[in-house]
Amino acid sequence: MAQNNRKAGAAPGNEFFDWVENNKSLSALIVFCAVAVVMACVAIFAIGTPAVPMCVLLILEVGIAALLHRAELWIHAILLIAEIVAGILAGRVWVIVLCAIVYVCATAVLMISSRDDE
């Protein structure tokens, strides 16, 4: 059955890449979820941040990204700089760096999704 759906002359290992190409928004969302889970686990287990505050920070980052994903690039840069400065002042630089990575990934996913919708 899988061979009937495959294009003539297509290599057998390319189904995954064809699926990713046809489902860019979903692929980006899956990668973002994996990044968010990895960042949360690193912060909780390696850095020692309590789980609930870390998850709240990640949710806030995604919410901010959803609100600002169509903003100019300089606004994102100011936001990231302000986050890192706040992390330095609070003594939690690595937690904020992980949150900034999640913010950048969330913004990228939202930009990819909005391009696919147009």
Side-chain angles (χ1 to χ4, degrees), residues 53-114:
M54 188 62 208
C55 292
V56 168
L57 282 172
L58 292 180
I59 291 169
L60 285 173
E61 292 294 330
V62 172
I64 293 169
L67 292 173
L68 296 178
H69 78 278
R70 293 186 186 266
E72 297 290 328
L73 183 62
W74 64 271
I75 294 175
H76 295 290
I78 288 174
L79 180 85
L80 290 172
I81 291 168
E83 282 185 8
I84 292 173
V85 167
I88 291 169
L89 293 175
R92 293 297 211 162
V93 177
W94 292 112
V95 172
I96 297 300
V97 167
L98 294 175
C99 289
I101 292 170
V102 169
Y103 173 78
V104 169
C105 290
T107 304
V109 167
L110 290 167
M111 287 181 169
I112 290 169
S113 296
S114 65

Side-chain angles (χ1 to χ4, degrees), residues 21-26 111-118:
E21 184 68 29
N22 294 332
N23 300 304
K24 287 181 184 174
S25 294
L26 183 60
M111 287 181 169
I112 290 169
S113 296
S114 65
R115 269 194 228 143
D116 284 350
D117 291 342
E118 294 173 354

Side-chain angles (χ1 to χ4, degrees), residues 3-47:
Q3 291 179 354
N4 294 338
N5 293 335
R6 191 180 306 149
K7 294 178 185 174
N14 288 338
E15 290 94 9
F16 174 74
F17 297 109
D18 291 338
W19 182 86
V20 169
E21 184 68 29
N22 294 332
N23 300 304
K24 287 181 184 174
S25 294
L26 183 60
S27 303
L29 182 63
I30 291 170
V31 169
F32 167 72
C33 290
V35 166
V37 168
V38 167
M39 294 300 157
C41 289
V42 166
I44 292 167
F45 298 118
I47 299 175

